[in-house]
Amino acid sequence: MEYHMPVMLNECLEGLNIRPDGIYVDVTFGGGGHSRGIMGRLGDEGRLLAFDQDADALANAIDDPRFTLIHENFKYLKNYLRLHGVRKVDGILADLGVSSHQFDEASRGFSTRLDGELDLRMDRRQPTDAKELVNNMGEEELCRILRLYGELPNAKQMAHAICVARKEQPIVTTGELRAAVQKMLPRGMENKYLAMLFQALRIEVNGELEALEAMLGQAVEVLNPGGRLVVMSYHSLEDRMVKNLMKTGNVEGKLEKDFYGNVISDIRPVTRKAVTPSPEELERNNRSRSAKLRVGERITTKE
């Protein structure tokens, strides 16, 4: 089984506009599919640094002197690049999806289909997993997370059902969580609602939006003028942050203008709209269906 089929590989490589002697970063290494594509376009002088907080991804490291794999969260982008003697780069790629390997490995708890421990940590070195969250979080806070991160229409009822179930016995497995919310799943939409529930818990467990905000800000800082930032997101919260950054220079989407009315930003969008997978790719890889790709280019703000 392939660890993870890279989504929109050609579109990502085109977006990066790779120079053979450039320095590039893949902040979501995973199975290494995108990284191998980048390496294929680099010359002897080129360099690729990759990040992944998941220890399972380390087994996929590329044996090449031009390649460095850093076992860390991409929110530490700038620090770890400096640690490896890099201050500026020519392109950064982020594929924010969960890898097929993580979904297919029942013990990780990412799958709504397979029964396994309710874990959901991308980095198993961190102390808090989904079990702790589901069993200890207050009902109101749980409802807020399900509504905000899962965009669940019945977040209140879901949160209540979980709190009722955990009084009987702690919720320890993905199967027990499914059972707890079973009656709250609209007929014919069970899988969709479960996916939204698991997404909400995963985002909270891993602090994904905070990490993304930190990485995006640092990415713009470390890019050389003309360097590209290529980001693939899979849900609206991530995509909104990326879109805002590329249009306004910040994730909140606040337009700042100078005295003459020009937008003050260090990045500009290269793609007017988000790029989505081709019909052929959708047929080949169903997991790419919600992917949205955006490309930005570092500019030098006029003094």
XYZ file of all heavy atoms in Angstrom, residues 31-126:
757
model
N 4.359 11.000 3.280
C 4.937 9.894 2.525
C 6.044 10.325 1.597
O 6.682 9.490 0.941
N 6.278 11.626 1.506
C 7.385 12.139 0.709
C 7.093 12.285 -0.774
O 8.005 12.557 -1.561
N 5.841 12.125 -1.176
C 5.490 12.219 -2.596
C 5.791 13.573 -3.210
O 6.415 13.661 -4.273
N 5.372 14.633 -2.526
C 5.649 15.983 -3.030
C 7.159 16.269 -2.982
O 7.717 16.867 -3.901
C 4.893 17.037 -2.212
C 3.417 17.043 -2.468
N 2.503 16.578 -1.544
C 2.687 17.442 -3.553
C 1.278 16.707 -2.052
N 1.363 17.221 -3.251
N 7.797 15.834 -1.892
C 9.241 16.070 -1.744
C 10.033 15.410 -2.870
O 10.969 15.997 -3.412
C 9.744 15.539 -0.395
O 9.475 16.459 0.635
N 9.644 14.184 -3.215
C 10.349 13.491 -4.306
C 10.163 14.234 -5.626
O 11.084 14.315 -6.447
C 9.875 12.041 -4.414
C 10.449 11.176 -3.314
C 10.068 9.701 -3.403
N 10.788 8.975 -2.360
C 10.382 8.907 -1.097
N 9.271 9.514 -0.719
N 11.087 8.250 -0.205
N 8.979 14.815 -5.809
C 8.724 15.612 -7.006
C 9.620 16.845 -7.064
O 10.164 17.193 -8.118
N 9.798 17.494 -5.907
C 10.671 18.678 -5.836
C 12.118 18.272 -6.114
O 12.820 18.916 -6.902
C 10.558 19.367 -4.448
C 9.145 19.932 -4.243
C 11.597 20.490 -4.314
C 8.836 20.363 -2.809
N 12.543 17.178 -5.472
C 13.927 16.703 -5.654
C 14.225 16.419 -7.129
O 15.331 16.658 -7.604
C 14.172 15.420 -4.839
C 14.121 15.601 -3.336
S 15.458 16.603 -2.666
C 16.837 15.496 -2.843
N 13.224 15.920 -7.834
C 13.385 15.604 -9.253
C 13.668 16.821 -10.112
O 14.177 16.697 -11.232
N 13.347 18.010 -9.582
C 13.575 19.242 -10.344
C 14.776 20.042 -9.838
O 15.079 21.107 -10.363
C 12.313 20.124 -10.301
C 11.129 19.453 -10.985
C 10.000 20.427 -11.225
N 8.877 19.742 -11.884
C 7.882 20.366 -12.489
N 7.858 21.697 -12.533
N 6.893 19.694 -13.043
N 15.422 19.543 -8.793
C 16.587 20.248 -8.242
C 17.886 19.749 -8.881
O 18.024 18.556 -9.177
C 16.685 20.035 -6.725
C 15.636 20.707 -5.841
C 15.894 20.372 -4.382
C 15.615 22.218 -6.038
N 18.837 20.670 -9.060
C 20.163 20.287 -9.533
C 21.060 19.946 -8.353
O 20.604 19.876 -7.204
N 22.344 19.784 -8.622
C 23.301 19.423 -7.568
C 23.413 20.491 -6.488
O 23.730 20.191 -5.340
C 24.699 19.180 -8.181
C 24.699 17.950 -9.083
O 23.767 17.135 -8.951
O 25.608 17.824 -9.926
N 23.173 21.747 -6.860
C 23.305 22.858 -5.901
C 22.033 23.074 -5.092
O 22.022 23.823 -4.125
C 23.631 24.165 -6.649
C 24.908 24.115 -7.486
C 26.120 23.779 -6.649
O 26.313 24.445 -5.615
O 26.860 22.835 -7.013
N 20.934 22.468 -5.517
C 19.646 22.678 -4.845
C 19.599 21.992 -3.486
O 20.427 21.130 -3.167
N 18.604 22.394 -2.681
C 18.467 21.818 -1.340
C 16.995 21.776 -0.947
O 16.234 22.698 -1.254
C 19.259 22.679 -0.353
C 19.355 22.055 1.031
C 20.304 22.825 1.918
N 20.317 22.230 3.254
C 20.806 22.813 4.332
N 21.357 24.011 4.238
N 20.777 22.212 5.507
N 16.610 20.689 -0.289
C 15.243 20.566 0.213
C 15.271 20.194 1.685
O 15.933 19.233 2.082
C 14.465 19.497 -0.575
C 13.052 19.176 -0.060
C 12.116 20.379 -0.186
C 12.456 17.982 -0.804
N 14.553 20.981 2.500
C 14.370 20.653 3.916
C 12.889 20.329 4.101
O 12.028 21.013 3.538
C 14.770 21.824 4.811
C 16.234 22.254 4.697
C 16.364 23.483 3.811
C 16.838 22.547 6.065
N 12.605 19.271 4.851
C 11.213 18.878 5.057
C 10.930 18.742 6.550
O 11.822 18.407 7.332
C 10.930 17.563 4.341
N 9.678 19.027 6.915
C 9.223 18.922 8.307
C 8.134 17.858 8.400
O 7.283 17.769 7.506
C 8.606 20.249 8.779
C 9.585 21.332 9.106
C 10.294 21.983 8.100
C 9.789 21.733 10.421
C 11.189 23.005 8.390
C 10.686 22.752 10.723
C 11.386 23.393 9.710
N 8.121 17.093 9.470
C 6.960 16.277 9.821
C 7.029 15.950 11.296
O 8.064 15.498 11.786
C 6.870 14.989 8.996
C 5.408 14.535 8.875
O 4.795 14.251 9.940
O 4.880 14.503 7.758
N 5.912 16.195 11.998
C 5.885 15.939 13.443
C 5.530 14.480 13.746
O 5.645 14.032 14.882
C 4.879 16.877 14.116
C 3.456 16.742 13.579
C 2.498 17.728 14.228
O 2.654 18.085 15.395
N 1.500 18.176 13.489
N 5.083 13.734 12.726
C 4.669 12.349 12.908
C 5.869 11.417 12.736
O 6.470 11.364 11.666
C 3.583 12.016 11.872
C 2.958 10.646 12.107
O 3.539 9.845 12.866
O 1.899 10.376 11.525
N 6.197 10.671 13.792
C 7.360 9.779 13.749
C 7.250 8.741 12.633
O 8.263 8.306 12.075
C 7.528 9.080 15.098
N 6.027 8.337 12.280
C 5.844 7.336 11.215
C 6.421 7.819 9.884
O 6.836 7.013 9.050
C 4.358 7.006 11.020
C 3.792 6.166 12.158
O 4.546 5.878 13.105
O 2.603 5.809 12.102
N 6.408 9.147 9.671
C 6.879 9.700 8.393
C 8.397 9.582 8.241
O 8.910 9.610 7.121
C 6.466 11.166 8.275
N 9.104 9.421 9.357
C 10.570 9.384 9.298
C 11.083 8.192 8.488
O 12.158 8.247 7.896
C 11.161 9.347 10.717
C 10.766 10.505 11.651
C 11.404 10.348 13.016
C 11.133 11.855 11.033
N 10.278 7.130 8.439
C 10.681 5.933 7.680
C 10.739 6.208 6.181
O 11.344 5.446 5.429
C 9.702 4.800 7.963
N 10.101 7.304 5.745
C 10.053 7.624 4.311
C 11.144 8.595 3.876
O 11.136 9.071 2.737
C 8.688 8.242 3.964
C 7.535 7.342 4.371
O 7.567 6.150 4.140
N 6.529 7.921 5.005
N 12.081 8.903 4.782
C 13.130 9.894 4.479
C 13.852 9.554 3.173
O 14.050 8.384 2.842
C 14.133 9.955 5.622
N 14.205 10.587 2.419
C 14.882 10.421 1.130
C 16.395 10.388 1.365
O 16.951 11.285 1.998
C 14.505 11.580 0.174
C 12.980 11.617 -0.029
C 15.226 11.459 -1.160
C 12.462 12.903 -0.671
N 17.017 9.348 0.857
C 18.472 9.189 1.033
C 19.191 9.997 -0.046
O 19.428 9.518 -1.146
C 18.838 7.699 0.940
C 20.313 7.452 1.231
O 20.960 8.368 1.780
O 20.816 6.363 0.895
N 19.492 11.244 0.290
C 20.110 12.150 -0.686
C 20.792 13.262 0.098
O 20.182 13.842 1.008
C 19.025 12.732 -1.606
C 19.601 13.490 -2.802
O 20.372 14.447 -2.582
O 19.259 13.146 -3.944
N 22.041 13.592 -0.204
C 22.749 14.628 0.565
C 22.093 16.004 0.477
O 22.327 16.857 1.340
C 24.153 14.646 -0.060
C 24.018 13.960 -1.379
C 22.908 12.988 -1.238
N 21.251 16.229 -0.527
C 20.581 17.532 -0.677
C 19.321 17.634 0.179
O 18.676 18.671 0.221
C 20.204 17.765 -2.146
C 21.378 17.748 -3.117
C 20.888 17.677 -4.553
N 20.103 16.467 -4.795
C 19.330 16.257 -5.859
N 19.240 17.189 -6.796
N 18.657 15.131 -6.009
N 18.972 16.528 0.863
C 17.700 16.449 1.591
C 17.909 16.378 3.098
O 18.782 15.660 3.582
C 16.926 15.210 1.124
C 15.622 14.992 1.867
C 14.509 15.751 1.559
C 15.533 14.046 2.876
C 13.309 15.559 2.252
C 14.332 13.847 3.572
C 13.224 14.606 3.251
N 17.096 17.128 3.850
C 17.123 17.106 5.322
C 15.696 16.954 5.832
O 14.811 17.728 5.442
C 17.698 18.433 5.878
O 18.953 18.700 5.260
C 17.860 18.384 7.385
N 15.461 15.971 6.702
C 14.128 15.783 7.294
C 14.169 16.170 8.764
O 15.004 15.681 9.528
C 13.670 14.330 7.136
C 12.276 13.972 7.679
C 11.188 14.880 7.123
C 11.923 12.517 7.377
N 13.285 17.080 9.141
C 13.245 17.621 10.508
C 11.982 17.106 11.203
O 10.871 17.369 10.745
C 13.254 19.172 10.463
C 14.545 19.666 9.766
C 13.132 19.761 11.859
C 14.463 21.104 9.266
N 12.161 16.372 12.305
C 11.031 15.772 13.029
C 10.449 16.800 14.007
O 10.659 16.733 15.206
C 11.525 14.514 13.768
C 10.442 13.805 14.523
N 10.696 13.009 15.612
C 9.102 13.774 14.353
C 9.561 12.522 16.089
N 8.582 12.977 15.345
N 9.713 17.768 13.449
C 9.131 18.840 14.269
C 7.865 19.384 13.624
O 7.632 19.221 12.428
C 10.141 19.991 14.443
C 11.092 19.822 15.609
C 10.438 19.596 16.959
O 9.267 20.010 17.144
O 11.078 19.004 17.827
N 7.087 20.078 14.444
C 5.892 20.778 13.973
C 6.318 21.981 13.127
O 7.261 22.689 13.484
C 5.101 21.257 15.198
C 3.742 21.812 14.841
O 3.590 22.668 13.968
N 2.720 21.341 15.535
N 5.599 22.218 12.040
C 6.004 23.326 11.156
C 5.829 24.712 11.773
O 6.265 25.710 11.221
C 5.340 23.243 9.783
C 3.815 23.272 9.757
C 3.065 24.084 10.583
C 3.135 22.479 8.827
C 1.679 24.131 10.513
C 1.741 22.516 8.743
C 1.008 23.340 9.595
N 5.218 24.770 12.966
C 5.100 26.085 13.619
C 6.466 26.604 14.080
O 6.621 27.768 14.409
C 4.106 26.038 14.788
C 4.539 25.197 15.969
C 3.427 25.164 17.019
C 3.795 24.261 18.191
N 2.683 24.103 19.136
N 7.458 25.705 14.097
C 8.823 26.100 14.468
C 9.696 26.299 13.220
O 10.920 26.174 13.285
C 9.460 25.043 15.377
C 8.665 24.752 16.624
C 8.184 23.473 16.878
C 8.383 25.758 17.547
C 7.436 23.194 18.028
C 7.644 25.492 18.702
C 7.177 24.212 18.931
O 6.449 23.954 20.065
N 9.055 26.591 12.099
C 9.725 26.701 10.802
C 11.020 27.517 10.860
O 12.096 27.039 10.520
C 8.750 27.315 9.782
C 9.301 27.636 8.398
C 9.655 26.360 7.657
C 8.305 28.451 7.579
N 10.913 28.752 11.301
C 12.041 29.682 11.255
C 13.212 29.202 12.120
O 14.360 29.205 11.689
C 11.560 31.056 11.735
C 12.389 32.216 11.246
C 11.671 33.503 11.589
C 12.615 34.670 11.599
N 11.950 35.901 12.033
N 12.888 28.759 13.340
C 13.949 28.304 14.265
C 14.728 27.129 13.713
O 15.958 27.093 13.791
C 13.334 27.890 15.612
C 12.983 29.101 16.458
O 13.311 30.220 16.088
N 12.301 28.883 17.565
N 14.000 26.150 13.163
C 14.695 24.946 12.691
C 15.432 25.176 11.375
O 16.449 24.535 11.121
C 13.735 23.746 12.626
C 13.608 23.111 13.990
C 12.634 23.537 14.896
C 14.509 22.139 14.410
C 12.547 23.000 16.168
C 14.434 21.590 15.687
C 13.455 22.017 16.561
O 13.380 21.487 17.824
N 14.937 26.090 10.561
C 15.702 26.438 9.353
C 17.038 27.064 9.770
O 18.087 26.717 9.242
C 14.913 27.402 8.462
C 13.705 26.824 7.710
C 13.059 27.899 6.842
C 14.097 25.625 6.846
N 16.974 27.953 10.756
C 18.209 28.610 11.236
C 19.170 27.594 11.818
O 20.382 27.672 11.618
C 17.874 29.670 12.286
C 17.314 30.921 11.658
C 17.211 32.050 12.661
N 16.921 33.287 11.964
C 16.819 34.469 12.547
N 17.005 34.563 13.849
N 16.550 35.550 11.855
N 18.609 26.636 12.548
C 19.414 25.582 13.146
C 20.182 24.805 12.071
O 21.282 24.304 12.313
C 18.493 24.624 13.914
C 19.097 23.807 15.040
C 19.639 24.692 16.145
C 18.068 22.836 15.603
N 19.596 24.737 10.875
C 20.232 24.025 9.757
C 20.935 24.994 8.800
O 21.196 24.656 7.641
C 19.193 23.175 9.025
C 18.763 21.974 9.815
N 19.409 20.770 9.749
C 17.780 21.821 10.737
C 18.830 19.915 10.584
N 17.845 20.529 11.187
N 21.201 26.198 9.302
C 21.998 27.155 8.542
C 21.275 27.834 7.400
O 21.896 28.344 6.469
N 19.932 27.855 7.467
C 19.151 28.458 6.373
C 18.359 29.651 6.905
O 17.605 29.521 7.866
C 18.178 27.416 5.765
C 17.274 28.062 4.727
C 18.958 26.264 5.152
N 18.532 30.800 6.273
C 17.765 31.986 6.676
C 16.717 32.384 5.652
O 15.678 32.931 5.996
C 18.713 33.161 6.952
C 19.455 32.967 8.252
C 20.343 34.108 8.643
N 20.985 33.796 9.926
C 20.526 34.235 11.090
N 19.443 34.968 11.150
N 21.163 33.917 12.206
N 16.998 32.122 4.381
C 16.055 32.467 3.308
C 15.868 31.281 2.376
O 16.826 30.537 2.109
C 16.582 33.669 2.497
C 16.572 34.983 3.264
C 15.158 35.518 3.403
C 15.128 36.822 4.200
N 13.757 37.314 4.422
N 14.642 31.129 1.863
C 14.352 30.009 0.951
C 13.611 30.532 -0.283
O 13.104 31.661 -0.298
C 13.516 28.916 1.657
C 14.229 28.407 2.900
C 12.114 29.402 2.012
N 13.544 29.681 -1.315
C 12.932 30.085 -2.582
C 11.512 29.556 -2.768
O 10.819 29.957 -3.706
C 13.814 29.603 -3.748
C 15.201 30.228 -3.653
O 15.286 31.459 -3.742
O 16.189 29.489 -3.445
N 11.098 28.661 -1.886
C 9.736 28.145 -2.010
C 9.370 27.270 -0.830
O 10.224 26.587 -0.253
N 8.085 27.329 -0.447
C 7.580 26.536 0.677
C 6.285 25.871 0.244
O 5.384 26.529 -0.303
C 7.322 27.431 1.917
C 8.641 28.044 2.399
C 6.662 26.636 3.038
C 8.464 29.139 3.458
N 6.193 24.566 0.505
C 4.983 23.806 0.176
C 4.352 23.260 1.451
O 5.056 22.722 2.315
C 5.348 22.638 -0.753
C 4.239 21.610 -1.020
C 3.116 22.223 -1.844
C 4.789 20.376 -1.711
N 3.022 23.396 1.559
C 2.290 22.809 2.686
C 1.061 22.081 2.166
O 0.237 22.677 1.471
C 1.872 23.906 3.669
N 0.963 20.788 2.474
C -0.231 20.001 2.162
C -0.867 19.684 3.512
O -0.398 18.828 4.250
C 0.181 18.716 1.423
C -0.997 17.785 1.172
O -2.126 18.119 1.588
O -0.791 16.712 0.581
N -1.941 20.397 3.845
C -2.479 20.355 5.202
C -3.381 19.152 5.491
O -3.955 19.045 6.561
C -3.237 21.663 5.488
C -2.400 22.940 5.306
C -3.272 24.176 5.454
C -1.230 22.995 6.283
N -3.492 18.242 4.549
C -4.363 17.080 4.752
C -3.756 16.029 5.665
O -2.551 15.987 5.882
N -4.624 15.168 6.189
C -4.172 13.996 6.946
C -3.755 12.947 5.923
O -4.430 12.754 4.916
C -5.331 13.444 7.821
C -4.909 12.191 8.568
C -5.797 14.509 8.807
N -2.630 12.271 6.150
C -2.154 11.312 5.149
C -3.013 10.045 5.152
O -3.629 9.689 6.164
C -0.691 10.945 5.413
O -0.610 10.017 6.474
N -3.029 9.376 4.020
C -3.779 8.114 3.896
C -3.293 7.119 4.942
O -4.079 6.354 5.510
C -3.580 7.513 2.501
O -3.974 8.431 1.517
N -1.997 7.124 5.200
C -1.420 6.217 6.189
C -2.053 6.449 7.562
O -2.399 5.496 8.273
C 0.101 6.431 6.269
C 0.730 5.767 7.446
N 1.005 4.410 7.483
C 1.129 6.255 8.652
C 1.549 4.111 8.657
N 1.635 5.204 9.369
N -2.216 7.709 7.931
C -2.808 8.014 9.242
C -4.264 7.547 9.307
O -4.707 7.017 10.310
C -2.698 9.518 9.528
C -1.273 9.936 9.865
C -1.071 11.445 9.816
O -1.693 12.147 9.035
N -0.170 11.947 10.641
N -4.995 7.752 8.209
C -6.389 7.291 8.163
C -6.482 5.768 8.228
O -7.391 5.219 8.833
C -7.069 7.762 6.873
C -7.661 9.137 6.969
C -7.361 10.107 6.022
C -8.552 9.474 7.988
C -7.914 11.386 6.094
C -9.112 10.745 8.069
C -8.789 11.701 7.125
N -5.554 5.092 7.559
C -5.647 3.636 7.421
C -5.039 2.862 8.578
O -5.173 1.646 8.657
C -4.979 3.198 6.100
C -5.725 3.758 4.887
O -6.935 4.032 5.024
O -5.103 3.921 3.822
N -4.371 3.558 9.483
C -3.745 2.919 10.637
C -4.720 3.065 11.816
O -4.808 4.121 12.445
C -2.410 3.619 10.941
C -1.591 3.009 12.048
C -1.124 1.590 11.763
O -0.630 1.320 10.654
O -1.278 0.772 12.675
N -5.476 1.995 12.103
C -6.571 2.073 13.090
C -6.115 2.599 14.449
O -6.842 3.345 15.114
C -7.200 0.692 13.259
N -4.896 2.255 14.863
C -4.420 2.622 16.201
C -4.246 4.123 16.378
O -4.157 4.615 17.507
C -3.087 1.923 16.493
O -2.090 2.410 15.598
N -4.219 4.876 15.264
C -4.025 6.323 15.370
C -5.319 7.059 15.709
O -5.300 8.208 16.152
C -3.434 6.885 14.066
C -2.113 6.276 13.620
C -1.001 6.515 14.631
N -0.745 7.914 14.839
C 0.074 8.641 14.089
N 0.734 8.083 13.091
N 0.272 9.916 14.351
N -6.460 6.423 15.427
C -7.750 7.024 15.786
C -8.289 8.042 14.801
O -9.267 8.722 15.084
N -7.667 8.175 13.621
C -8.130 9.169 12.645
C -9.324 8.673 11.838
O -10.069 9.461 11.275
C -6.994 9.533 11.661
C -5.889 10.344 12.280
C -4.733 9.744 12.737
C -6.019 11.724 12.412
C -3.716 10.490 13.311
C -5.005 12.480 12.980
C -3.860 11.866 13.435
N -9.473 7.368 11.753
C -10.506 6.801 10.887
C -11.856 6.718 11.593
O -11.941 6.269 12.740
C -10.089 5.401 10.430
O -11.136 4.788 9.728
N -12.896 7.124 10.872
C -14.255 6.998 11.429
C -14.781 5.585 11.201
O -15.771 5.186 11.793
C -15.214 8.006 10.751
O -15.209 7.770 9.339
C -14.807 9.435 11.025
N -14.105 4.825 10.322
C -14.574 3.475 9.973
C -13.948 2.408 10.866
O -14.618 1.485 11.310
C -14.191 3.138 8.518
C -14.848 3.986 7.462
C -14.295 3.659 6.070
N -12.872 3.987 5.927
C -11.889 3.094 5.866
N -12.144 1.803 5.940
N -10.629 3.475 5.715
N -12.626 2.521 11.074
C -11.894 1.477 11.794
C -11.959 1.721 13.294
O -11.954 2.851 13.750
C -10.425 1.472 11.341
C -10.186 1.405 9.825
C -8.714 1.639 9.509
C -10.642 0.068 9.268
N -12.037 0.626 14.056
C -12.080 0.783 15.504
C -10.665 0.769 16.061
O -9.861 -0.097 15.720
C -12.915 -0.335 16.133
C -13.365 0.036 17.542
O -13.318 1.248 17.859
O -13.751 -0.848 18.316
N -10.363 1.753 16.869
C -9.026 1.840 17.472
C -9.064 2.828 18.613
O -10.105 3.422 18.922
N -7.932 3.014 19.240
C -7.847 3.959 20.356
C -8.148 5.374 19.862
O -7.726 5.771 18.779
C -6.435 3.901 20.943
C -6.318 4.618 22.265
C -4.902 4.559 22.829
O -4.130 3.670 22.427
O -4.578 5.417 23.659
N -8.894 6.117 20.653
C -9.256 7.497 20.290
C -8.061 8.396 20.631
O -7.948 8.927 21.718
C -10.515 7.916 21.060
C -11.149 9.252 20.694
C -11.559 9.294 19.223
C -12.355 9.528 21.572
N -7.153 8.530 19.676
C -5.901 9.229 19.912
C -5.878 10.576 19.179
O -5.909 11.638 19.784
C -4.733 8.333 19.454
C -3.383 8.868 19.886
O -3.166 10.092 19.771
O -2.520 8.082 20.319
N -5.785 10.515 17.846
C -5.842 11.699 16.969
C -4.656 12.654 17.079
O -4.702 13.768 16.561
C -7.148 12.501 17.182
C -8.421 11.856 16.639
C -9.655 12.646 17.088
C -8.402 11.787 15.121
N -3.568 12.229 17.726
C -2.386 13.095 17.783
C -1.543 12.897 16.526
O -1.242 11.772 16.160
C -1.526 12.764 19.007
C -2.116 13.190 20.326
C -1.292 12.673 21.486
N -1.236 11.205 21.485
C -0.459 10.498 22.310
N 0.336 11.108 23.178
N -0.471 9.176 22.256
N -1.150 13.995 15.912
C -0.202 13.931 14.805
C 1.188 13.605 15.354
O 1.963 12.894 14.735
C -0.133 15.280 14.077
C -1.434 15.686 13.412
S -1.603 14.888 11.823
C -2.961 15.808 11.133
N 1.480 14.176 16.503
C 2.781 13.971 17.158
C 2.515 13.258 18.476
O 1.985 13.846 19.422
C 3.453 15.326 17.417
C 4.838 15.187 18.030
O 5.194 14.071 18.461
O 5.561 16.200 18.083
N 2.889 11.978 18.540
C 2.563 11.200 19.736
C 3.458 11.517 20.926
O 3.330 10.918 21.989
C 2.579 9.705 19.397
C 1.331 9.340 18.584
C 1.233 7.883 18.245
N 2.062 7.530 17.111
C 1.970 6.386 16.439
N 1.076 5.493 16.803
N 2.760 6.138 15.416
N 4.353 12.497 20.757
C 5.154 12.952 21.892
C 4.366 13.930 22.764
O 4.740 14.200 23.897
C 6.445 13.633 21.396
C 7.387 12.706 20.657
C 8.534 13.469 20.005
N 8.069 14.414 18.996
C 8.864 15.167 18.253
N 10.167 15.108 18.411
N 8.373 15.993 17.340
N 3.288 14.503 22.191
C 2.539 15.497 22.979
C 1.623 14.786 23.976
O 1.136 13.690 23.718
C 1.749 16.430 22.071
C 0.567 15.798 21.359
C -0.300 16.827 20.664
O 0.181 17.619 19.900
N -1.597 16.791 20.939
